Amino acid sequence: MGFTGLARWINAPSTGLELIRENIMRNHHGQLRGRWFLSVKSYRSTLGSIPGLQVHSERSMCTLTMNENVFVLLEDPAAPTRADIVTSAQNSQTSDGQVFPVPPHYRTTFLTLRPPGALEQVLHQLKARWIPVRQTAPGAQRSQGGQQLSVEGFVFAIGNDWLVRVGNVVLAGGAVKGMLLEAEYLPLPVLHSQTADGTSELLSNLLTSVLPNIREAKTVAVTISDSQWEEVLWDREEEERQLSQEKAKSEGEPDNIYVFGNEGLTSEKKGDWIGVDRDRRSAFLIIGALKSEGIL
């Protein structure tokens, strides 16, 4: 897997998918590799319906099914961000080494689950207070699990370096709400950008060339800043392990010269663009793009 970028064609016509397909195959000598299909659902909590419980804002949850993985984005507007807690801890650090209390969860939680459908089963068995934001129309998309929204299109290969995914955003009733275009540059797992929002000129140029030459076409690049992605990738267990190591060093604990098995060996750091990690970033970008437009 390589480095990926995402764009949204907001006012794509009904023939947009065929226009892009013709442009890629004729002008870029692209080859059709298969279908692109994503299933997206959105939920909201109903904690406010519990008698005597005051909830300032309901939590939201979006799920995106990609192949055999389900990516879940949970947001609690009432919870602090991890950046807020880190800043508060630094500002209120005392000389006696008191640890700043860590909340049970932060504003954003991003999970990867499998197999598809397992989350719905757990919510049903636990009678969890989550309901779909938009109920699926009777009989609509029932054969595909009743998703509230889907992305349906094609995957193309351009030479040996590029994969391009294009698909219509299809609502539960069958209406098309624009298109999504994703370009993946295969040679590099990481592509550093000089811009603050993380956009890549290489990817932007490729996506622009893929679009047909249509007047008044409204396209938007979907980006994520490093701080946002750091918030998403935060690992509580990894952070607690690092804090315990720092605490042991500060207390003068001697290093253990005896190592058994793999203990003490530095594990390889995961790359943001390898396998499911690349899919995670793609899923987060897609969910963010659809939420920003109010589609989810």
Side-chain angles (χ1 to χ4, degrees), residues 208-223:
T208 301
S209 67
V210 164
L211 287 168
N213 187 15
I214 296 180
R215 296 181 59 184
E216 299 181 355
K218 296 181 180 179
T219 58
V220 178
V222 183
T223 62

Side-chain angles (χ1 to χ4, degrees), residues 19-34:
L19 291 174
I20 291 180
R21 177 177 179 174
E22 181 180 359
N23 183 25
I24 291 178
M25 300 188 72
R26 175 178 296 181
N27 299 324
H28 295 273
H29 305 287
Q31 296 181 349
L32 180 63
R33 287 294 180 86

Side-chain angles (χ1 to χ4, degrees), residues 8-279:
R8 179 94 166 91
W9 188 4
I10 299 174
N11 61 342
S14 57
T15 58
L17 193 59
E18 290 302 321
L19 291 174
I20 291 180
R21 177 177 179 174
E22 181 180 359
N23 183 25
I24 291 178
M25 300 188 72
R26 175 178 296 181
N27 299 324
H28 295 273
H29 305 287
Q31 296 181 349
L32 180 63
R33 287 294 180 86
R35 303 283 300 183
W36 189 35
F37 182 83
L38 307 173
S39 173
V40 187
K41 297 181 181 180
S42 59
Y43 304 83
R44 65 176 178 85
S45 63
T46 58
L47 297 175
S49 62
I50 302 177
L53 181 62
Q54 295 183 352
V55 179
H56 299 288
S57 58
E58 292 286 2
R59 303 174 183 180
S60 65
M61 177 171 63
C62 296
T63 66
L64 186 147
T65 302
M66 182 186 302
N67 301 322
E68 295 300 317
N69 295 310
V70 181
F71 303 94
V72 184
L73 177 63
L74 287 151
E75 292 186 332
D76 182 2
T81 65
R82 179 176 175 272
D84 294 337
I85 295 298
V86 171
T87 302
S88 300
Q90 293 174 347
N91 294 336
S92 61
Q93 188 175 10
T94 59
S95 58
D96 57 0
Q98 183 180 357
V99 179
F100 194 84
V102 178
H105 65 272
Y106 293 125
R107 183 173 302 174
T108 301
T109 304
F110 196 52
L111 307 172
T112 304
L113 307 176
R114 61 188 314 176
L119 177 63
E120 288 80 357
Q121 294 179 5
V122 171
L123 295 178
H124 177 72
Q125 292 173 358
L126 297 179
K127 297 181 179 180
R129 294 183 176 273
W130 291 94
I131 61 172
V133 173
R134 295 178 175 86
Q135 296 288 348
T136 304
Q141 304 287 351
R142 188 177 301 277
S143 62
Q144 298 176 358
Q147 69 267 11
Q148 299 166 20
L149 182 152
S150 62
V151 178
E152 304 174 13
F154 302 101
V155 180
F156 300 92
I158 299 179
N160 297 322
D161 292 345
W162 292 97
L163 284 180
V164 179
R165 302 172 184 89
V166 295
N168 289 322
V169 178
V170 183
L171 304 183
V176 177
K177 198 75 172 179
M179 296 182 62
L180 283 172
L181 301 92
E182 185 179 61
E184 183 176 355
Y185 187 58
L186 298 174
L188 297 177
V190 177
L191 188 61
H192 296 288
S193 174
Q194 300 297 326
T195 60
D197 59 5
T199 57
S200 166
E201 185 176 356
L202 178 64
L203 292 171
S204 298
N205 291 339
L206 188 279
L207 289 171
T208 301
S209 67
V210 164
L211 287 168
N213 187 15
I214 296 180
R215 296 181 59 184
E216 299 181 355
K218 296 181 180 179
T219 58
V220 178
V222 183
T223 62
I224 176 174
S225 64
D226 291 339
S227 60
Q228 288 177 303
W229 189 231
E230 183 180 354
E231 190 83 18
V232 173
L233 288 181
W234 171 78
D235 187 335
R236 180 185 292 271
E237 294 181 355
E238 177 65 19
E239 184 177 81
E240 290 178 349
R241 184 185 67 82
Q242 293 179 357
L243 290 175
S244 62
Q245 291 179 349
E246 294 176 359
K247 183 178 179 181
K249 291 181 180 180
S250 64
E251 293 176 352
E253 180 179 324
D255 294 333
N256 187 359
I257 62 174
Y258 298 101
V259 180
F260 300 91
N262 292 329
E263 295 179 9
L265 297 179
T266 303
S267 59
E268 182 179 355
K269 184 178 179 180
K270 291 184 178 180
D272 292 349
W273 305 101
I274 305 301
V276 71
D277 293 310
R278 188 214 67 84
D279 292 342

